[in-house]
Amino acid sequence: MSYPQPGQYPGGQYPGGQYQGYQPQGPPQVYGQQQAYPPPGQYGQPPPQQYGYPPQQPPPHGPPSHSPFPQQQQPYPPPTHSPYPQQQQPYGAPPQGQFAPQQHQQHQQQPPYGAPAAPHGAPPPQPYGAPHTLPTPASPGYDPNLVAHFDASGPADALRKAMKGFGTDESTLIRVLAHMPPREIPVVKQTYQQRHHRSLESDVKSETGGYFEFALLAILRGPLQQDVWCLNDALKGAGTKEALLDDVLIGRSNADIRAIKNAYQQTYRRSLESDVKADLSAKTERMYSMILAASRQEESASVWPQSVEADVTELHRATEAKTGAEQLTVCSILTNRSDGQIRAIAQAYEHKYRRALETVIKNDFAGHMEDALVRMVRSGADKAMRDAIALEECMSGPGTKDERLVTRLMAIHWDRAHMAQVKGAYKHRYKKDLISRIKGETSGDYERILVAMID
């Protein structure tokens, strides 16, 4: 059986969508679609968004001319009020132009990255796509040196007026803060301090309460400091909130992980790695050490078919082909691959073994290790559906997991385009509107701030 030469089909775009004689399919049925995704013409690319939410990332060279699937009649336009520059991509999504130029790739002679991963988390000796990969940029708000330059006296004065004197104008707080871009938040806080000689966070604490206060303070921290706060909350005291660690750390770019580690060190004067090691043990600690190494393949790395095949074979050998899964081998592969590579691996695994990779993980793992690995696979397969499922988990069953709901919704809302995708994914999977679901689980100002962040 012959394979394409390295660089022959950048991004895994093989003629007619064929890969080793079988037709690539979309995500496994565990994601709840009533009908399977149409066979994508680009192997390893995000699934075509056929069910009502806008595409996360277009194919790098446009849709194939022979594609039998209709184009979206009303493609999602970037919101005119979007706080993000056009060159910025959705939270954790591949950057535009994610594949190296063809003329560069055709000179790549290095062996494929994907020889079976070494045990105990060592990254593969030859990363695929190197050295012509471009680093994925940090998400908006994750570079403290990049702040907006604007006159913040208007929002600062409006916030002060809303909390001055008797009573609080909660509607103004929601209107000003719900959609405030990450890079504007530090400017507004500084301007508030300079003009009114008061701390904005302190005033919010004194004038609001409950989960409404919890949500407002999360906004005022901004995405980076909110991640740092969540990590400290997950690790402090007795026990560890592993789900909170997963929400913050899994599926993140190398640039975001490095920014989070630096901010954690500056805030608490301790390294995040040392705190994780002190709080966790055994294979769980090793898995997080792999994540915090920030050594994932960049999203610009090519998807090589022989490397995908090697990973699929190794994952099968380490799981259902034997009694007792090799946990660190699976962790090593999934923590070191890019989203696009994980997507290709999941598709190829299902084609080869007729079982979804997510199902295999659920069968061979348990507890927190299962949850973490499933999140890694979902992050590669479809981030919008991953987040839609995560939100529903906060509201299903007896009682609402309010802190988790606020934290997860907060991370999504920083990117308006991604929020629109999540709303569509939620409606597709659960046949109900996300805002209506939120309203059924919350009330008062707490409900209004969450709905404002979604709407």
Side-chain angles (χ1 to χ4, degrees), residues 99-157:
F99 296 103
Q102 178 72 21
Q103 62 268 29
H104 290 177
Q105 289 188 358
Q106 64 187 353
H107 295 298
Q108 294 172 5
Q109 300 296 330
Q110 77 282 354
Y113 85 102
H120 309 304
Q126 292 294 335
Y128 54 177
H132 300 294
T133 56
L134 300 175
T136 304
S139 302
Y142 283 76
D143 186 343
N145 296 319
L146 294 178
V147 296
H149 298 282
F150 74 109
D151 182 2
S153 57
D157 291 348

Short mmCIF file of all heavy atoms in Angstrom, two decimals, residues 99-157:
data_model
loop_
_atom_site.label_atom_id
_atom_site.label_comp_id
_atom_site.label_asym_id
_atom_site.label_seq_id
_atom_site.Cartn_x
_atom_site.Cartn_y
_atom_site.Cartn_z
N PHE A 99 -1.96 25.96 7.12
CA PHE A 99 -1.00 25.03 6.55
C PHE A 99 0.12 25.79 5.86
O PHE A 99 -0.09 26.81 5.22
CB PHE A 99 -1.70 24.08 5.58
CG PHE A 99 -2.71 23.23 6.28
CD1 PHE A 99 -4.06 23.50 6.18
CD2 PHE A 99 -2.30 22.19 7.10
CE1 PHE A 99 -4.99 22.73 6.85
CE2 PHE A 99 -3.23 21.42 7.78
CZ PHE A 99 -4.56 21.69 7.65
N ALA A 100 1.30 25.25 6.01
CA ALA A 100 2.46 25.90 5.44
C ALA A 100 2.34 25.94 3.93
O ALA A 100 1.69 25.10 3.32
CB ALA A 100 3.73 25.14 5.84
N PRO A 101 2.94 26.95 3.27
CA PRO A 101 2.85 27.04 1.82
C PRO A 101 3.34 25.76 1.16
O PRO A 101 4.29 25.12 1.62
CB PRO A 101 3.77 28.22 1.49
CG PRO A 101 3.84 29.02 2.74
CD PRO A 101 3.71 28.03 3.86
N GLN A 102 2.69 25.43 0.04
CA GLN A 102 3.01 24.18 -0.64
C GLN A 102 4.47 24.11 -1.05
O GLN A 102 5.10 23.09 -0.93
CB GLN A 102 2.11 24.06 -1.89
CG GLN A 102 2.36 22.80 -2.72
CD GLN A 102 1.85 21.57 -2.03
OE1 GLN A 102 0.99 21.67 -1.16
NE2 GLN A 102 2.37 20.42 -2.38
N GLN A 103 5.01 25.25 -1.49
CA GLN A 103 6.38 25.18 -1.97
C GLN A 103 7.35 24.91 -0.83
O GLN A 103 8.43 24.39 -1.05
CB GLN A 103 6.77 26.49 -2.67
CG GLN A 103 6.74 27.73 -1.76
CD GLN A 103 5.38 28.41 -1.83
OE1 GLN A 103 4.38 27.75 -2.07
NE2 GLN A 103 5.36 29.73 -1.67
N HIS A 104 6.96 25.23 0.41
CA HIS A 104 7.81 24.90 1.55
C HIS A 104 7.64 23.44 1.92
O HIS A 104 8.58 22.75 2.23
CB HIS A 104 7.45 25.78 2.75
CG HIS A 104 7.85 27.21 2.54
ND1 HIS A 104 7.56 28.19 3.46
CD2 HIS A 104 8.50 27.80 1.51
CE1 HIS A 104 8.03 29.36 3.02
NE2 HIS A 104 8.59 29.14 1.85
N GLN A 105 6.40 22.97 1.90
CA GLN A 105 6.16 21.63 2.38
C GLN A 105 6.81 20.58 1.49
O GLN A 105 7.21 19.53 1.96
CB GLN A 105 4.65 21.37 2.45
CG GLN A 105 3.99 22.16 3.58
CD GLN A 105 2.56 21.74 3.76
OE1 GLN A 105 2.05 20.90 3.02
NE2 GLN A 105 1.90 22.32 4.74
N GLN A 106 6.89 20.84 0.20
CA GLN A 106 7.40 19.80 -0.66
C GLN A 106 8.89 19.53 -0.45
O GLN A 106 9.42 18.56 -0.94
CB GLN A 106 7.13 20.18 -2.12
CG GLN A 106 7.88 21.45 -2.56
CD GLN A 106 7.43 21.87 -3.96
OE1 GLN A 106 6.68 21.14 -4.60
NE2 GLN A 106 7.90 23.01 -4.41
N HIS A 107 9.55 20.39 0.31
CA HIS A 107 10.97 20.15 0.60
C HIS A 107 11.17 19.47 1.94
O HIS A 107 12.30 19.26 2.35
CB HIS A 107 11.73 21.49 0.58
CG HIS A 107 11.74 22.13 -0.78
ND1 HIS A 107 12.31 21.55 -1.87
CD2 HIS A 107 11.21 23.30 -1.20
CE1 HIS A 107 12.17 22.36 -2.93
NE2 HIS A 107 11.49 23.41 -2.54
N GLN A 108 10.06 19.15 2.64
CA GLN A 108 10.22 18.50 3.93
C GLN A 108 10.65 17.05 3.71
O GLN A 108 9.98 16.30 3.04
CB GLN A 108 8.91 18.54 4.70
CG GLN A 108 8.50 19.96 5.09
CD GLN A 108 7.11 19.99 5.68
OE1 GLN A 108 6.52 18.93 5.87
NE2 GLN A 108 6.61 21.17 5.96
N GLN A 109 11.77 16.68 4.28
CA GLN A 109 12.30 15.35 4.10
C GLN A 109 12.37 14.54 5.38
O GLN A 109 12.79 13.41 5.38
CB GLN A 109 13.72 15.44 3.49
CG GLN A 109 13.77 16.15 2.14
CD GLN A 109 13.00 15.39 1.07
OE1 GLN A 109 12.90 14.18 1.12
NE2 GLN A 109 12.46 16.12 0.10
N GLN A 110 11.99 15.18 6.52
CA GLN A 110 12.14 14.49 7.79
C GLN A 110 11.15 13.34 7.87
O GLN A 110 10.10 13.37 7.27
CB GLN A 110 11.96 15.45 8.97
CG GLN A 110 10.51 15.82 9.28
CD GLN A 110 9.99 16.85 8.32
OE1 GLN A 110 10.74 17.36 7.51
NE2 GLN A 110 8.71 17.15 8.41
N PRO A 111 11.46 12.31 8.65
CA PRO A 111 10.53 11.20 8.85
C PRO A 111 9.26 11.70 9.51
O PRO A 111 9.26 12.73 10.18
CB PRO A 111 11.30 10.24 9.77
CG PRO A 111 12.72 10.67 9.68
CD PRO A 111 12.70 12.14 9.39
N PRO A 112 8.15 10.98 9.37
CA PRO A 112 6.91 11.40 10.02
C PRO A 112 7.06 11.38 11.53
O PRO A 112 7.82 10.60 12.07
CB PRO A 112 5.89 10.37 9.53
CG PRO A 112 6.72 9.18 9.14
CD PRO A 112 8.01 9.74 8.62
N TYR A 113 6.27 12.24 12.15
CA TYR A 113 6.37 12.34 13.61
C TYR A 113 5.85 11.09 14.29
O TYR A 113 6.21 10.79 15.41
CB TYR A 113 5.50 13.51 14.12
CG TYR A 113 4.08 13.12 14.32
CD1 TYR A 113 3.58 12.87 15.60
CD2 TYR A 113 3.25 12.92 13.24
CE1 TYR A 113 2.29 12.45 15.77
CE2 TYR A 113 1.96 12.50 13.42
CZ TYR A 113 1.48 12.27 14.68
OH TYR A 113 0.20 11.86 14.87
N GLY A 114 4.98 10.36 13.64
CA GLY A 114 4.07 9.49 14.37
C GLY A 114 4.54 8.09 14.60
O GLY A 114 3.72 7.19 14.63
N ALA A 115 5.81 7.85 14.74
CA ALA A 115 6.22 6.53 15.23
C ALA A 115 5.57 6.33 16.59
O ALA A 115 5.29 7.28 17.29
CB ALA A 115 7.74 6.48 15.36
N PRO A 116 5.27 5.08 16.97
CA PRO A 116 4.54 4.84 18.22
C PRO A 116 5.13 5.64 19.37
O PRO A 116 6.34 5.70 19.56
CB PRO A 116 4.71 3.33 18.44
CG PRO A 116 4.85 2.78 17.04
CD PRO A 116 5.61 3.84 16.27
N ALA A 117 4.23 6.29 20.10
CA ALA A 117 4.69 7.18 21.15
C ALA A 117 5.44 6.41 22.22
O ALA A 117 5.07 5.30 22.60
CB ALA A 117 3.48 7.89 21.77
N ALA A 118 6.50 7.01 22.70
CA ALA A 118 7.27 6.38 23.77
C ALA A 118 6.44 6.34 25.03
O ALA A 118 5.61 7.22 25.27
CB ALA A 118 8.56 7.15 24.00
N PRO A 119 6.63 5.34 25.89
CA PRO A 119 5.87 5.28 27.13
C PRO A 119 6.22 6.43 28.05
O PRO A 119 7.24 7.11 27.88
CB PRO A 119 6.29 3.93 27.73
CG PRO A 119 7.62 3.63 27.11
CD PRO A 119 7.55 4.22 25.73
N HIS A 120 5.36 6.65 29.01
CA HIS A 120 5.55 7.66 30.06
C HIS A 120 5.57 9.07 29.49
O HIS A 120 6.21 9.95 30.02
CB HIS A 120 6.83 7.41 30.84
CG HIS A 120 6.94 6.01 31.35
ND1 HIS A 120 5.96 5.43 32.15
CD2 HIS A 120 7.88 5.05 31.15
CE1 HIS A 120 6.31 4.19 32.44
NE2 HIS A 120 7.45 3.92 31.84
N GLY A 121 4.88 9.29 28.36
CA GLY A 121 4.58 10.66 27.95
C GLY A 121 5.62 11.35 27.12
O GLY A 121 5.49 12.54 26.86
N ALA A 122 6.64 10.65 26.67
CA ALA A 122 7.62 11.33 25.83
C ALA A 122 6.99 11.69 24.49
O ALA A 122 6.28 10.88 23.90
CB ALA A 122 8.83 10.43 25.60
N PRO A 123 7.20 12.91 23.99
CA PRO A 123 6.64 13.27 22.69
C PRO A 123 7.32 12.48 21.59
O PRO A 123 8.44 11.98 21.75
CB PRO A 123 6.96 14.77 22.56
CG PRO A 123 8.11 14.99 23.48
CD PRO A 123 7.96 14.00 24.59
N PRO A 124 6.64 12.31 20.45
CA PRO A 124 7.24 11.55 19.35
C PRO A 124 8.54 12.19 18.90
O PRO A 124 8.69 13.41 18.94
CB PRO A 124 6.18 11.62 18.25
CG PRO A 124 5.36 12.81 18.60
CD PRO A 124 5.36 12.89 20.09
N PRO A 125 9.52 11.38 18.51
CA PRO A 125 10.84 11.91 18.20
C PRO A 125 10.86 12.86 17.02
O PRO A 125 11.68 13.75 16.97
CB PRO A 125 11.69 10.66 17.92
CG PRO A 125 10.68 9.59 17.59
CD PRO A 125 9.46 9.91 18.38
N GLN A 126 9.96 12.66 16.03
CA GLN A 126 9.97 13.51 14.86
C GLN A 126 8.59 14.14 14.68
O GLN A 126 7.68 13.49 14.19
CB GLN A 126 10.34 12.70 13.61
CG GLN A 126 11.78 12.20 13.60
CD GLN A 126 12.77 13.35 13.50
OE1 GLN A 126 12.45 14.40 12.99
NE2 GLN A 126 13.99 13.14 13.98
N PRO A 127 8.40 15.39 15.09
CA PRO A 127 7.09 16.02 14.93
C PRO A 127 6.77 16.24 13.46
O PRO A 127 7.60 16.70 12.71
CB PRO A 127 7.24 17.35 15.67
CG PRO A 127 8.70 17.63 15.66
CD PRO A 127 9.40 16.30 15.68
N TYR A 128 5.51 15.91 13.09
CA TYR A 128 5.19 16.11 11.69
C TYR A 128 4.88 17.57 11.44
O TYR A 128 4.38 18.28 12.26
CB TYR A 128 4.07 15.19 11.21
CG TYR A 128 2.77 15.18 11.93
CD1 TYR A 128 1.75 14.40 11.43
CD2 TYR A 128 2.52 15.92 13.08
CE1 TYR A 128 0.52 14.35 12.05
CE2 TYR A 128 1.30 15.86 13.71
CZ TYR A 128 0.31 15.08 13.19
OH TYR A 128 -0.92 15.01 13.80
N GLY A 129 5.21 17.99 10.25
CA GLY A 129 5.02 19.38 9.88
C GLY A 129 6.19 20.27 10.22
O GLY A 129 6.29 21.37 9.71
N ALA A 130 7.08 19.84 11.09
CA ALA A 130 8.23 20.66 11.45
C ALA A 130 9.23 20.62 10.29
O ALA A 130 9.29 19.66 9.55
CB ALA A 130 8.88 20.14 12.73
N PRO A 131 10.03 21.64 10.08
CA PRO A 131 10.10 22.85 10.88
C PRO A 131 9.25 23.99 10.34
O PRO A 131 9.36 25.10 10.80
CB PRO A 131 11.59 23.20 10.78
CG PRO A 131 11.96 22.77 9.39
CD PRO A 131 11.14 21.54 9.10
N HIS A 132 8.42 23.72 9.34
CA HIS A 132 7.68 24.79 8.69
C HIS A 132 6.31 25.00 9.31
O HIS A 132 5.32 25.15 8.62
CB HIS A 132 7.54 24.49 7.19
CG HIS A 132 8.86 24.36 6.50
ND1 HIS A 132 9.74 25.41 6.34
CD2 HIS A 132 9.47 23.30 5.92
CE1 HIS A 132 10.82 25.00 5.69
NE2 HIS A 132 10.68 23.72 5.44
N THR A 133 6.22 24.99 10.62
CA THR A 133 4.96 25.26 11.30
C THR A 133 5.02 26.64 11.94
O THR A 133 6.07 27.11 12.38
CB THR A 133 4.69 24.21 12.39
OG1 THR A 133 5.79 24.17 13.30
CG2 THR A 133 4.49 22.83 11.78
N LEU A 134 3.86 27.27 11.99
CA LEU A 134 3.75 28.59 12.58
C LEU A 134 3.08 28.47 13.94
O LEU A 134 2.07 27.77 14.07
CB LEU A 134 2.94 29.51 11.67
CG LEU A 134 3.51 29.72 10.26
CD1 LEU A 134 2.54 30.56 9.43
CD2 LEU A 134 4.87 30.39 10.34
N PRO A 135 3.60 29.12 14.96
CA PRO A 135 2.98 29.03 16.28
C PRO A 135 1.56 29.56 16.26
O PRO A 135 1.27 30.60 15.65
CB PRO A 135 3.89 29.90 17.16
CG PRO A 135 5.18 30.00 16.41
CD PRO A 135 4.82 29.96 14.96
N THR A 136 0.67 28.87 16.94
CA THR A 136 -0.69 29.36 17.10
C THR A 136 -0.67 30.55 18.04
O THR A 136 -0.12 30.48 19.14
CB THR A 136 -1.59 28.26 17.70
OG1 THR A 136 -1.52 27.10 16.86
CG2 THR A 136 -3.02 28.74 17.81
N PRO A 137 -1.22 31.69 17.64
CA PRO A 137 -1.17 32.87 18.51
C PRO A 137 -2.01 32.67 19.76
O PRO A 137 -2.96 31.88 19.78
CB PRO A 137 -1.75 33.99 17.63
CG PRO A 137 -2.60 33.28 16.63
CD PRO A 137 -1.93 31.96 16.37
N ALA A 138 -1.65 33.40 20.79
CA ALA A 138 -2.43 33.36 22.02
C ALA A 138 -3.81 33.93 21.79
O ALA A 138 -4.02 34.78 20.91
CB ALA A 138 -1.71 34.13 23.12
N SER A 139 -4.78 33.48 22.56
CA SER A 139 -6.14 33.99 22.46
C SER A 139 -6.19 35.45 22.90
O SER A 139 -5.34 35.89 23.69
CB SER A 139 -7.08 33.15 23.32
OG SER A 139 -7.05 31.80 22.94
N PRO A 140 -7.16 36.22 22.42
CA PRO A 140 -7.29 37.61 22.86
C PRO A 140 -7.40 37.70 24.38
O PRO A 140 -8.16 36.96 25.01
CB PRO A 140 -8.59 38.06 22.18
CG PRO A 140 -8.71 37.20 20.97
CD PRO A 140 -8.15 35.87 21.39
N GLY A 141 -6.61 38.59 24.96
CA GLY A 141 -6.61 38.76 26.40
C GLY A 141 -5.54 37.96 27.10
O GLY A 141 -5.39 38.09 28.32
N TYR A 142 -4.77 37.15 26.36
CA TYR A 142 -3.74 36.32 26.99
C TYR A 142 -2.34 36.91 26.85
O TYR A 142 -1.38 36.30 27.29
CB TYR A 142 -3.80 34.90 26.43
CG TYR A 142 -4.93 34.12 27.02
CD1 TYR A 142 -6.24 34.34 26.61
CD2 TYR A 142 -4.72 33.22 28.06
CE1 TYR A 142 -7.30 33.66 27.17
CE2 TYR A 142 -5.78 32.53 28.64
CZ TYR A 142 -7.06 32.77 28.20
OH TYR A 142 -8.12 32.10 28.77
N ASP A 143 -2.23 38.06 26.27
CA ASP A 143 -0.97 38.80 26.26
C ASP A 143 -1.20 40.09 27.04
O ASP A 143 -1.85 41.02 26.55
CB ASP A 143 -0.55 39.12 24.82
CG ASP A 143 0.84 39.76 24.76
OD1 ASP A 143 1.31 40.25 25.81
OD2 ASP A 143 1.43 39.80 23.66
N PRO A 144 -0.69 40.17 28.27
CA PRO A 144 -0.95 41.36 29.09
C PRO A 144 -0.43 42.65 28.48
O PRO A 144 -0.87 43.74 28.87
CB PRO A 144 -0.20 41.04 30.40
CG PRO A 144 -0.02 39.56 30.40
CD PRO A 144 0.12 39.16 28.97
N ASN A 145 0.47 42.53 27.53
CA ASN A 145 1.03 43.73 26.91
C ASN A 145 0.14 44.29 25.81
O ASN A 145 0.37 45.40 25.33
CB ASN A 145 2.41 43.42 26.33
CG ASN A 145 3.41 43.04 27.40
OD1 ASN A 145 3.45 43.64 28.47
ND2 ASN A 145 4.22 42.02 27.13
N LEU A 146 -0.87 43.52 25.40
CA LEU A 146 -1.78 43.97 24.35
C LEU A 146 -3.09 44.42 24.98
O LEU A 146 -3.90 43.59 25.41
CB LEU A 146 -2.03 42.85 23.33
CG LEU A 146 -0.83 42.40 22.50
CD1 LEU A 146 -1.22 41.26 21.57
CD2 LEU A 146 -0.27 43.57 21.69
N VAL A 147 -3.28 45.71 25.07
CA VAL A 147 -4.52 46.26 25.62
C VAL A 147 -5.10 47.24 24.62
O VAL A 147 -4.40 47.76 23.73
CB VAL A 147 -4.28 46.96 26.97
CG1 VAL A 147 -3.80 45.97 28.02
CG2 VAL A 147 -3.28 48.10 26.83
N ALA A 148 -6.37 47.49 24.75
CA ALA A 148 -7.03 48.43 23.84
C ALA A 148 -6.62 49.85 24.18
O ALA A 148 -6.30 50.17 25.34
CB ALA A 148 -8.53 48.26 23.95
N HIS A 149 -6.61 50.71 23.19
CA HIS A 149 -6.31 52.13 23.38
C HIS A 149 -7.57 52.91 23.02
O HIS A 149 -7.89 53.10 21.85
CB HIS A 149 -5.13 52.55 22.52
CG HIS A 149 -3.86 51.83 22.86
ND1 HIS A 149 -3.08 52.15 23.96
CD2 HIS A 149 -3.24 50.78 22.26
CE1 HIS A 149 -2.03 51.34 24.01
NE2 HIS A 149 -2.11 50.50 22.99
N PHE A 150 -8.29 53.33 24.03
CA PHE A 150 -9.53 54.07 23.81
C PHE A 150 -9.86 54.86 25.07
O PHE A 150 -9.29 54.64 26.14
CB PHE A 150 -10.67 53.12 23.45
CG PHE A 150 -11.21 52.33 24.60
CD1 PHE A 150 -12.47 52.59 25.13
CD2 PHE A 150 -10.47 51.30 25.19
CE1 PHE A 150 -12.96 51.86 26.19
CE2 PHE A 150 -10.96 50.56 26.25
CZ PHE A 150 -12.22 50.84 26.75
N ASP A 151 -10.80 55.78 24.94
CA ASP A 151 -11.25 56.57 26.06
C ASP A 151 -12.28 55.77 26.84
O ASP A 151 -13.42 55.57 26.38
CB ASP A 151 -11.86 57.88 25.56
CG ASP A 151 -12.31 58.79 26.70
OD1 ASP A 151 -12.10 58.42 27.87
OD2 ASP A 151 -12.89 59.86 26.41
N ALA A 152 -11.90 55.29 28.00
CA ALA A 152 -12.78 54.44 28.82
C ALA A 152 -13.56 55.23 29.85
O ALA A 152 -14.19 54.63 30.73
CB ALA A 152 -11.95 53.36 29.51
N SER A 153 -13.57 56.55 29.73
CA SER A 153 -14.28 57.34 30.75
C SER A 153 -15.78 57.09 30.71
O SER A 153 -16.45 57.11 31.75
CB SER A 153 -13.99 58.83 30.54
OG SER A 153 -14.36 59.25 29.23
N GLY A 154 -16.33 56.83 29.51
CA GLY A 154 -17.77 56.58 29.41
C GLY A 154 -18.21 55.35 30.18
O GLY A 154 -19.07 55.46 31.09
N PRO A 155 -17.66 54.18 29.89
CA PRO A 155 -18.07 53.00 30.67
C PRO A 155 -17.68 53.10 32.14
O PRO A 155 -18.42 52.62 33.01
CB PRO A 155 -17.35 51.84 29.97
CG PRO A 155 -16.29 52.46 29.12
CD PRO A 155 -16.79 53.80 28.76
N ALA A 156 -16.54 53.71 32.45
CA ALA A 156 -16.14 53.84 33.85
C ALA A 156 -17.14 54.69 34.62
O ALA A 156 -17.55 54.33 35.74
CB ALA A 156 -14.74 54.43 33.95
N ASP A 157 -17.55 55.81 34.03
CA ASP A 157 -18.52 56.68 34.71
C ASP A 157 -19.89 56.01 34.82
O ASP A 157 -20.59 56.17 35.82
CB ASP A 157 -18.64 58.01 33.96
CG ASP A 157 -17.37 58.85 34.07
OD1 ASP A 157 -16.50 58.51 34.90
OD2 ASP A 157 -17.24 59.83 33.31
#
